[in-house]
Amino acid sequence: MPREYVHRAAVSEVFLTHWEADSADRFSVTAQWPRAHALFVPVGGYQDPLLLVESVRQTGALLAHAQYDVPFGHQFLMWHMSFDARPEALVAGPRPTEVVLRAECGDITRRGGKLAGMEYHVTVERDGAPLATATAAFSCTSPSVYRRLRGDRTGGASVPMPVGIAPESVGRQGSRDVVLAAADPHSPHRWQLRVDTAHPVFFDHPVDHVPGMVLLEAARQAAHAVTALPDALPVGLESAFARYAELDAPCWIDAEAGRPDSAGRVPTTVRGTQNGKTVFTATVVLCPTRTR
């Protein structure tokens, strides 16, 4: 898959391999998830569900460019992302995981004859069996409109990067992949977002704001930290993005764990704020799993 279709600079970060139109506004997209990845590392014998999230994100960008004629260089803004996955379908095998994402696009809006945004629903299959469902929505703008929208934000400096919390507390193997920093010993469920603009995956290419995938990783890590379940598998997500997370001001992540359901799944609500305003909200569902 050409990397410009999915807004990636590194070929290794392109997970989609093929697409075809099934009917009007319905498409089948194939993806391959590696057995080893610099960031999305299998844990306990299960593939990282954020591979699913990134594949869904890439699917939206691909279809916008390849099927709806959005020019390269347009800017995309994700408004929401959700998924619900079956843990048993995420088991890592002896080969890369091949999946099919069946996407149905709707709520399509156009401006001046050009695609301005859409929502799409995805059913993910592995070996013909259901793996997950997902929904996402985004809007896209031309470079000139984006420059007017962002103003002087396009070249600002980022805040100093604080020291991250212990990697093992958030299900991470290395300190560089930690996106949370202790903010206040009296507020154990609040962290400062730790933004490493040199990170080769989170910042695959230069951008003027914190990418949505960094915010979702922060939500995932906050869920691990607040529940003390660093090895649990994220099997559900509901997220909404209200505004850009800027690089030049601290962003605060607050989390609160809910009660486990009858299957032991624990929902955690997460909120990111910056300059007193909500940047995003998310609910992450963790499922304790047995190591395979």
Side-chain angles (χ1 to χ4, degrees):
M1 182 69 61
R3 55 191 175 179
E4 60 267 24
Y5 278 86
V6 297
H7 305 167
R8 282 290 175 250
V11 174
S12 60
E13 297 308 315
V14 179
F15 299 139
L16 307 187
T17 58
H18 177 74
W19 84 94
E20 60 184 38
D22 298 326
S23 61
D25 301 321
R26 294 189 180 199
F27 309 93
S28 291
V29 181
T30 56
Q32 185 185 84
W33 298 342
R35 296 173 63 195
H37 186 269
L39 177 65
F40 304 122
V41 181
V43 175
Y46 295 85
Q47 288 280 29
D48 187 334
L50 261 68
L51 283 168
L52 165 65
V53 175
E54 174 61 11
S55 298
V56 171
R57 184 203 67 77
Q58 290 188 13
T59 294
L62 164 69
L63 297 178
H65 292 304
Q67 298 292 152
Y68 294 99
D69 301 320
V70 173
F72 296 123
H74 275 47
Q75 298 290 328
F76 285 57
L77 175 61
M78 187 68 71
W79 288 108
H80 70 79
M81 171 73 74
S82 66
F83 80 86
D84 183 20
R86 300 175 61 186
E88 64 273 17
L90 291 167
V91 173
R95 301 186 216 30
T97 302
E98 307 274 356
V99 299
V100 179
L101 299 97
R102 304 198 185 278
E104 181 176 0
C105 302
D107 291 335
I108 297 171
T109 59
R110 290 181 170 85
R111 191 172 296 112
K114 299 289 186 181
L115 181 74
M118 69 179 184
E119 182 177 71
Y120 55 107
H121 303 274
V122 182
T123 300
V124 186
E125 300 172 359
R126 178 182 183 182
D127 298 327
L131 183 152
T133 57
T135 301
F138 65 85
S139 58
C140 46
T141 61
S142 67
S144 59
V145 171
Y146 186 76
R147 285 193 296 270
R148 290 198 298 272
L149 175 68
R150 297 293 287 150
D152 60 1
R153 290 288 191 180
T154 57
S158 57
V159 297
M161 186 171 59
V163 177
I165 61 178
E168 58 271 19
S169 69
V170 291
R172 280 301 175 196
Q173 296 181 342
S175 58
R176 188 172 192 185
D177 297 334
V178 174
V179 297
L180 300 180
D184 183 346
H186 301 294
S187 302
H189 299 165
R190 161 171 273 215
W191 302 269
Q192 181 180 343
L193 182 67
R194 184 173 181 265
V195 181
D196 178 5
T197 57
H199 194 285
V201 179
F202 289 139
F203 287 82
D204 167 78
H205 56 279
V207 291
D208 64 3
H209 59 277
V210 180
M213 287 298 293
V214 176
L215 300 179
L216 294 182
E217 177 65 22
R220 181 250 286 274
Q221 292 188 18
H224 285 310
V226 77
T227 60
L229 295 171
D231 297 326
L233 194 68
V235 295
L237 169 74
E238 289 281 348
S239 65
F241 302 90
R243 53 180 41 84
Y244 289 104
E246 306 294 353
L247 297 171
D248 59 359
C251 182
W252 307 100
I253 307 297
D254 293 275
E256 182 178 356
R259 292 181 178 274
D261 65 12
S262 58
R265 302 184 182 198
V266 184
T268 297
T269 56
V270 182
R271 180 171 178 250
T273 58
Q274 191 172 58
N275 297 321
K277 298 179 179 179
T278 298
V279 171
F280 80 103
T281 57
T283 298
V284 180
V285 179
L286 296 180
C287 178
T289 57
R290 294 180 179 178
T291 300
R292 289 179 173 267

